[in-house]
Amino acid sequence: MTTRWDELFCHLERPFAWLDFDALDKNIQIIQDACGRKPIRLATKSIRSVEVLRYIQQKLPNVVGFMTFTAAETVFLLQQQFDDLLLGYPVMEEAAIRQLLYFVQEGKTVTFMVDRQEHIELLSKLGNEVGVRVPVCIDINVSNDFKLLYFGTKRSSLYSLETLTPFLQATKNSPSIEVVGAMGYEAQIAGVGNRPANVIKGRVIEVMQSQAKKQVTQFRRLAIAHIKAYFPTLRFVNGGGSGSMTYTTKQKEVTEITVGSAFYAPALFDQFTHLRLEKAAGFALRVTRQPEKNIVVCHGGGYTASGAIGSDRLPVFYEPTKFAYLSLEGAGEVQTPIKVKGKNIQIGDTIYFRHAKAGELCERFPLLHGVRGDKYVGPFTTYRGDGQCFL
């Protein structure tokens, strides 16, 4: 595989990012099979390329919209003629919000995420200024508090019917706000793999996820019913993620599922035993040094992922049995020493990697260089290549 890629990418300067369209197409089919007829909303933060977003939208028949991650990114995508954009996170940037409300005024579908009265107050003020009702989605917290361990994300403040009720009452009294959706994202299922390096930890996660599914199902159904008592004409209920497709698709209260990381299949998703995704995206580095017989040095490589610090945030080798990091150096800012195991590597050769997370790869590179079969089919610009930087 990598020898073939050396030939296809021989004209490129290293480092560069690659996208395997054969693998991407297989992942699209896997996602389609897992989600069935459930509508899919694409998580833009996990793609970060206008061209690739359009490609997936064309290949996947049940895409109903996009989940964005900042107000400025949402403005950018609207300018690229995308529509039905749900901001996945609350935003407080007034200038960008105003821009979005002008798009709403023109008939575009843009929905803001809310879970605090402060969000409602700001959106109401700006909605009054522009002269539009502001569409919002209520974000409920479906994390699990097991007393000894909080399992999930500390995100929304709406974690019970008791916290939800006063928020719903206050929102209903805001004439400039239109509640069109609700979201309950089960991050502890969708974003936590059950096959980490530590086997015991993996077994604990499996037990906790089994319990979490029962509690998420129960609370989310109650919360959605409670929201509908105040706002009976919800347009959508969003849930799930790449790691919970099979579970979330079966949840009757969820009308659409968000999927993003599964398209590129980053390294962290190797930890999900129920997912058999294809390695679709990554980057390539040039070997520039060889200080010892079985040690080579690549130029660059320190593209670590966000989240709690750990070895699982490092990029992984496309051929993991052939290479290993040095424990005292890891992936370096400008050079990465690598132990070679059972492969002949010389100065000038290329080593291929995968990022631990999906869209963060695109923050490092302006282009994704595509291959399909034995043909080079790129390049495709990332957000960076389009001159954009959001978070």
Side-chain angles (χ1 to χ4, degrees):
M1 173 68 78
T2 57
T3 301
R4 175 173 63 86
W5 283 3
D6 286 342
E7 297 174 0
L8 295 176
F9 294 133
C10 65
H11 63 291
L12 298 177
E13 297 279 291
R14 275 61 167 160
F16 67 87
W18 54 265
L19 180 60
D20 183 341
F21 276 87
D22 292 321
L24 177 60
D25 285 348
K26 290 178 182 177
N27 290 341
I28 289 173
Q29 187 59 56
I30 290 168
I31 291 164
Q32 179 68 67
D33 293 342
C35 294
R37 296 182 178 179
K38 186 79 77 175
I40 295 172
R41 188 172 293 275
L42 301 182
T44 62
K45 78 175 183 65
S46 300
I47 309 297
R48 303 197 199 201
S49 166
V50 167
E51 293 176 285
V52 179
L53 282 170
R54 287 194 175 121
Y55 178 83
I56 295 170
Q57 185 181 23
Q58 292 170 356
K59 297 281 288 187
L60 199 56
N62 47 337
V63 171
V64 294
F66 304 84
M67 178 178 285
T68 60
F69 60 98
T70 76
E73 183 219 9
T74 309
V75 170
F76 171 68
L77 291 178
L78 288 164
Q79 292 169 339
Q80 310 307 309
Q81 306 307 311
F82 288 88
D83 201 2
D84 201 338
L85 305 179
L86 167 65
L87 284 97
Y89 315 87
V91 292
M92 301 292 287
E93 309 311 314
E94 294 194 18
I97 293 172
R98 282 194 188 91
Q99 281 186 279
L100 290 174
L101 293 181
Y102 287 126
F103 279 104
V104 172
Q105 197 173 50
E106 295 170 2
K108 290 287 191 177
T109 302
V110 180
T111 306
F112 295 83
M113 194 65 68
V114 296
D115 73 276
R116 293 276 302 186
Q117 189 59 32
E118 291 90 339
H119 305 151
I120 297 296
E121 290 171 357
L122 176 60
L123 292 173
S124 292
K125 183 189 80 169
L126 298 178
N128 286 329
E129 288 181 13
V130 176
V132 296
R133 293 189 73 198
V134 183
V136 302
C137 174
I138 296 174
D139 185 6
I140 58 172
N141 188 337
V142 295
S143 299
N144 305 109
D145 189 350
F146 292 129
K147 303 306 179 185
L148 293 177
L149 179 66
Y150 185 89
F151 195 38
T153 57
K154 289 188 180 291
R155 183 177 290 186
S156 170
S157 59
L158 305 175
Y159 55 85
S160 66
L161 296 185
E162 290 73 24
T163 57
L164 187 56
T165 299
F167 180 78
L168 294 176
Q169 291 172 341
T171 303
K172 194 171 182 64
N173 292 328
S174 302
S176 296
I177 299 296
E178 180 185 10
V179 176
V180 300
M183 183 179 79
Y185 172 49
E186 54 269 49
Q188 67 274 43
I189 303 167
V192 179
N194 61 347
R195 188 174 56 189
N198 186 312
V199 176
I200 296 176
K201 181 180 178 181
R203 291 172 181 169
V204 172
I205 289 173
E206 286 182 341
V207 172
M208 293 175 65
Q209 286 182 331
S210 178
Q211 291 297 316
K213 288 177 181 178
K214 298 174 184 177
Q215 293 187 21
V216 168
T217 298
Q218 182 181 34
F219 174 62
R220 186 165 53 198
R221 288 179 180 175
L222 285 172
I224 297 305
H226 196 49
I227 292 171
K228 285 184 175 180
Y230 287 83
F231 306 101
T233 58
L234 291 184
R235 182 165 61 86
F236 65 87
V237 175
N238 183 279
S242 292
S244 71
M245 290 184 290
T246 303
Y247 161 75
T248 308
T249 297
K250 298 176 182 177
Q251 304 308 301
K252 295 179 180 179
E253 77 281 2
V254 176
T255 66
E256 62 175 45
I257 180 171
T258 299
V259 182
S261 295
F263 294 105
Y264 289 168
L268 281 173
F269 279 77
D270 295 346
Q271 298 182 17
F272 289 79
T273 57
H274 61 284
L275 286 176
R276 293 293 183 267
L277 299 168
E278 299 287 330
K279 307 170 184 177
F283 61 93
L285 301 179
R286 181 83 73 189
V287 174
T288 57
R289 288 176 160 179
Q290 188 171 15
E292 297 177 16
K293 180 180 179 180
N294 294 321
I295 303 293
V296 297
V297 179
C298 284
H299 197 181
Y303 312 135
T304 55
S306 61
I309 299 300
S311 59
D312 63 352
R313 304 290 144 165
L314 291 172
V316 302
F317 300 98
Y318 190 90
E319 299 176 292
T321 62
K322 303 294 185 181
F323 307 101
Y325 291 112
L326 303 188
S327 60
L328 295 181
E329 297 202 48
E333 178 186 8
V334 291
Q335 56 182 5
T336 299
I338 296 168
K339 183 176 182 180
V340 182
K341 302 180 290 183
K343 187 169 184 174
N344 183 26
I345 295 291
Q346 300 177 7
I347 290 177
D349 286 350
T350 300
I351 296 179
Y352 295 88
F353 298 76
R354 296 159 62 216
H355 202 281
K357 301 185 82 171
E360 291 183 22
L361 168 73
C362 297
E363 291 300 321
R364 291 288 190 164
F365 298 93
L367 299 171
L368 292 167
H369 291 279
V371 292
R372 184 187 296 280
D374 292 324
K375 293 184 178 180
Y376 174 79
V377 296
F380 301 85
T381 59
T382 64
Y383 282 179
R384 287 286 186 161
D386 291 328
Q388 305 298 318
C389 178
F390 302 113
L391 282 182

